Amino acid sequence: MAAAYRPPGAFGKIGNLPHIVDSTWLGGGNRGGLAHPANDREVALAVAFSIVLIAVIQIGAAMNGHTPVLDGGLVDTDDYMRLVRVEYLWRTGAWFDAVIPRIGPPHGLALHWTRPMDILLLAGAGLASPFLGFKAALFWWGALVSPVLMVAALGAAVWAAAPVVARTGLPLVAFIFVAQPGNLARFMAGRPDHHGLLILLFVLSLGFVLRVLADPGRRSDAIAAGLIGALAIWISIESLVPAAAVIATFGLCWVLSDRHLLRPLVIYSAALCAGLGLALLVERGPLGLSVVENDKISILHLAMFALNAASWWVLSKTEARGWHGDGVIRRVIWAGGAAVVSLLLLLSQFPHLIANPMEMGGDLYLHTHLPNISEIQPLISIAALHGDDSAGAVNGAIFWLGVALPAVPWLAYRLRQSRGAARRLWLLVAVTALAYVPLTFYQMRWASYAETILVLPYADLAAAIFARLSMRFSEQVLGLLRPFLFVAMCTWVFVPSAIADGPDGNGMLVQESRKTCPIKELSSVLNDRNIVGRDPKTILALIDFGPELLYRTRHSVLSIPNHRPQPGFAAGYRIMTATDFAVSRRLLNENGVGLVAICEGSAESWFYDQEPGGRTLYRALSEDAPPPFLTPIPLPDDTGGFRLFAVGPDS
């Protein structure tokens, strides 16, 4: 049996933490001082410098307009919608009512988001509201929360890596984590969404599970990992992936030979199930426990993990009775049988278990809006490779997932050459990477998870390179080479895109879009009761304008970017693309629309022109030839390409 490893407390001193990974193979020499074990001071300095680097990057992004927080703006539509949701909760206290009535009134829209991120934002805003007022406090805490979470995730990443990465690589983990493009995007200032919190929980869960794999007797770590996994799934069902990776790793280890890992797997699964049960009760209340939704924590997910926990418990009992024998095949049959029975039971009660939540919005939303959301597009497509910008497509893949090029082969090597507990640790990293790297190629939104897990083998590889160099070069030469090599290892993925004008991200295209369609300036007009009247109106505008209009004005909108069914989205599309203006007028009245806003130079110019033939209402409005029932409202020059029309009777 492999030697047990017992860290001195969950967040004990890293310097006193015995490592499962044997780093003696890195080399016997230490002339350059690069192969010596990192101590607490070195790791602390690396974390401190990384925090300074985070601050410099965030301040620079805000100063050059890459993030619009200094102008009172947020990064994307979900960020505005999150603050609208939190404001509504603060005003009404309606914890169990997720419907936002100002989206597609009178019915409103219930978002698939959950309460933990709302509470985090409310807590920060509540502390600052006596000094700034609630709305300003919520904005500034919302603007800063993601960088704060990045600092927490940075420390958690170094802690999580301690059992598996060679000691000399621990200080490198901090810098490499900060340098990943996906993490920089997720933790950007002006992004008060749950993605940064999910990465933090992902890293924390990973750290606890690694410690359990190193020492299966640590029940408290197994419980902590399960509860953190439950919290992450409560926040978003995308966290089903790391939970599945953990269960698969434990199960694979048990099947192959590590039979003593079955008990910590049962404990982890039970804690995960218990945490989900508590989360479900808090999120939905007793009256909402029977609601089934596969895009938000519901009884479906509790049943899924209850069956998982029950299956491993039964297997632990049959294992104790010796029913599995010593053969791998028999354990595979037992585990496979339990999985099949559980799946059949789930499908019998929840036939839509494997339905794609993104298809809930209907065919129109699926074919007109979803294809234009960049984060759910493939990292690299066959069409892009054969197109005119094939080099740009490759550069984009390197930008978002270039760390995989050195990290994946090194991970395979580490997995092959390690033994005992060390192999279990690298197996978890490998299984998690095997889940997230293909997912990133499928949809770019998974890049931050893939980058985060690959930081571990990449930092370990960097430690090996530095150790080898310390054996071959003098201290004077190493003193010159070390900083250049280190910077190159952290930043090389940015070079191809910088040279070849690579992924724009939230850069110039977004900045130009804000200049062309400044919603903040339009909102000043919409908030002027002398111009639009005293009563709140329902606004028909491009779906991407909806969240910011909700945040900045008292009015309602027909729809927002969200995959859940929105009759207002279909109605707005039919209104704008109708060639019979009588149809447009009827639909405007049926949906209670009082104002219509368009913006030349935005996505509208092609979004509403997808329908062939005829002169649509959108074309008439863009040509300054509105029908009689739409009256132009004069706008100041600072409203850019916007045009505003009041809906009224025919003149």
Side-chain angles (χ1 to χ4, degrees):
M1 181 176 174
Y5 134 90
R6 299 179 179 277
F11 289 87
K13 289 184 178 181
I14 292 176
N16 296 333
L17 190 63
H19 283 239
I20 285 297
V21 174
D22 179 9
S23 59
T24 57
W25 62 274
L26 292 176
N30 191 29
R31 287 185 302 169
L34 289 167
H36 73 282
N39 57 40
D40 287 348
R41 182 174 178 275
E42 290 172 325
V43 175
L45 283 174
V47 171
F49 279 123
S50 298
I51 293 172
V52 172
L53 182 61
I54 291 172
V56 170
I57 292 172
Q58 297 286 356
I59 292 171
M63 294 294 291
N64 68 18
H66 192 72
T67 56
V69 292
L70 298 182
D71 295 326
L74 301 173
V75 172
D76 63 24
T77 57
D78 281 356
D79 303 322
Y80 288 106
M81 199 62 240
R82 176 66 75 171
L83 295 194
V84 170
R85 173 182 162 93
V86 173
E87 281 187 24
Y88 185 72
L89 175 62
W90 175 70
R91 283 199 318 271
T92 66
W95 179 272
F96 298 119
D97 184 5
V99 175
I100 306 296
R102 292 168 58 207
I103 305 171
H107 303 293
L109 177 66
L111 300 174
H112 64 291
W113 296 337
T114 54
R115 292 303 185 191
M117 189 66 196
D118 296 346
I119 294 305
L120 179 60
L121 290 170
L122 272 176
L127 291 174
S129 59
F131 309 100
L132 301 175
F134 181 79
K135 191 173 182 73
L138 179 60
F139 171 81
W140 285 111
W141 172 234
L144 295 174
V145 67
S146 285
V148 170
L149 289 172
M150 188 175 197
V151 171
L154 166 67
V158 175
W159 167 80
V164 66
V165 174
R167 284 182 180 271
T168 49
L170 287 181
L172 305 177
V173 170
F175 292 102
I176 295 171
F177 178 84
V178 173
Q180 298 309 304
N183 286 338
L184 290 173
R186 287 304 190 195
F187 290 104
M188 188 178 294
R191 295 204 68 168
D193 61 23
H194 56 250
H195 294 294
L197 180 57
L198 288 176
I199 296 297
L200 170 60
L201 296 176
F202 170 62
V203 173
L204 288 173
S205 178
L206 179 70
F208 280 114
V209 174
L210 286 171
R211 284 155 172 78
V212 175
L213 287 170
D215 179 5
R218 295 191 64 84
R219 297 179 56 183
S220 59
D221 286 347
I223 294 172
L227 294 177
I228 291 171
L231 175 57
I233 294 170
W234 179 11
I235 295 169
S236 173
I237 61 162
E238 70 183 53
S239 294
L240 292 173
V241 177
V246 170
I247 293 168
T249 301
F250 273 98
L252 187 58
C253 289
W254 170 71
V255 164
L256 293 178
S257 64
D258 292 318
R259 299 164 70 174
H260 57 290
L261 288 178
L262 200 52
R263 180 164 180 76
L265 175 54
V266 171
I267 295 172
Y268 169 84
S269 299
L272 181 60
C273 182
L276 284 175
L278 179 60
L280 190 59
L281 184 63
V282 173
E283 177 68 31
R284 295 184 179 273
L287 299 179
L289 293 180
S290 61
V291 176
V292 177
E293 293 177 323
N294 64 352
D295 66 339
K296 177 181 178 179
I297 183 175
S298 70
I299 192 68
L300 180 157
H301 304 100
L302 179 59
M304 182 188 306
F305 285 99
L307 283 171
N308 170 72
S311 297
W312 290 115
W313 180 81
V314 170
L315 288 174
S316 71
K317 295 303 180 183
T318 55
E319 173 79 12
R321 294 176 180 269
W323 292 4
H324 306 151
D326 294 326
V328 172
I329 300 300
R330 293 185 66 176
R331 286 194 290 274
V332 169
I333 293 173
W334 275 92
V340 169
V341 170
S342 298
L343 181 60
L344 292 176
L345 286 173
L346 281 172
L347 288 174
S348 68
Q349 299 300 313
F350 308 103
H352 300 294
L353 173 68
I354 57 176
N356 184 356
M358 301 304 291
E359 297 179 357
M360 295 172 61
D363 288 341
L364 182 62
Y365 187 85
L366 190 65
H367 293 105
T368 59
H369 187 69
L370 281 186
N372 305 302
I373 301 177
S374 60
E375 72 171 19
I376 64 172
Q377 303 311 308
L379 180 65
I380 187 168
S381 65
I382 301 299
L385 286 175
H386 289 85
D388 296 335
D389 191 25
S390 57
V394 173
N395 285 341
I398 294 174
F399 180 82
W400 292 111
L401 205 54
V403 67
L405 295 176
V408 169
W410 183 257
L411 175 58
Y413 167 76
R414 273 305 227 166
L415 187 61
R416 181 179 178 181
Q417 62 87 219
S418 59
R419 296 291 183 270
R423 174 170 284 187
R424 296 198 297 265
L425 304 188
W426 285 115
L427 181 62
L428 175 64
V429 177
V431 170
T432 309
L434 188 61
Y436 280 119
V437 171
L439 278 174
T440 302
F441 277 95
Y442 172 62
Q443 289 182 343
M444 289 188 291
R445 66 191 300 265
W446 301 100
S448 53
Y449 290 98
E451 292 171 353
T452 297
I453 193 64
L454 291 175
V455 163
L456 302 186
Y458 190 51
D460 195 65
L461 171 61
I465 293 173
F466 285 163
R468 291 294 182 181
L469 290 175
S470 70
M471 299 171 59
R472 297 175 181 271
F473 297 99
S474 66
E475 176 61 28
Q476 291 77 13
V477 174
L478 284 172
L480 295 174
L481 289 178
R482 190 184 300 123
F484 293 103
L485 287 173
F486 183 67
V487 171
M489 286 179 175
C490 290
T491 63
W492 69 269
V493 297
F494 298 93
V495 175
S497 295
I499 294 174
D501 191 22
D504 178 76
N506 290 293
M508 293 306 298
L509 292 180
V510 175
Q511 294 179 44
E512 291 303 317
S513 176
R514 293 190 184 111
K515 293 177 183 177
T516 304
C517 304
I519 300 177
K520 182 179 179 181
E521 283 69 23
L522 176 67
S523 298
S524 298
V525 176
L526 295 172
N527 289 328
D528 191 332
R529 287 174 167 79
N530 295 322
I531 297 176
V532 299
R534 298 186 61 83
D535 296 329
K537 305 290 194 301
T538 296
I539 303 172
L540 167 56
L542 183 66
I543 184 173
D544 292 326
F545 297 156
E548 190 170 354
L549 289 172
L550 289 174
Y551 175 73
R552 296 191 182 280
T553 75
R554 58 200 171 97
H555 303 291
S556 302
V557 298
L558 276 189
S559 62
I560 64 167
N562 190 273
H563 65 268
R564 288 196 163 188
Q566 297 183 77
F569 173 76
Y573 188 82
R574 289 198 296 269
I575 289 167
M576 286 299 200
T577 58
T579 55
D580 183 351
F581 294 167
V583 173
S584 298
R585 181 179 61 179
R586 175 177 59 80
L587 290 173
L588 285 168
N589 292 334
E590 287 178 358
N591 288 274
V593 176
L595 296 168
V596 176
I598 68 169
C599 183
E600 288 186 295
S602 70
E604 292 174 340
S605 58
W606 52 263
F607 182 70
Y608 291 132
D609 278 349
Q610 297 183 68
E611 300 297 325
R615 184 167 177 267
T616 64
L617 178 63
Y618 176 75
R619 290 179 185 173
L621 297 180
S622 63
E623 294 168 0
D624 284 329
F629 56 86
L630 291 175
T631 304
I633 297 177
L635 296 176
D637 293 338
D638 63 358
T639 50
F642 273 114
R643 298 179 189 182
L644 187 65
F645 304 87
V647 180
D650 291 337
S651 59

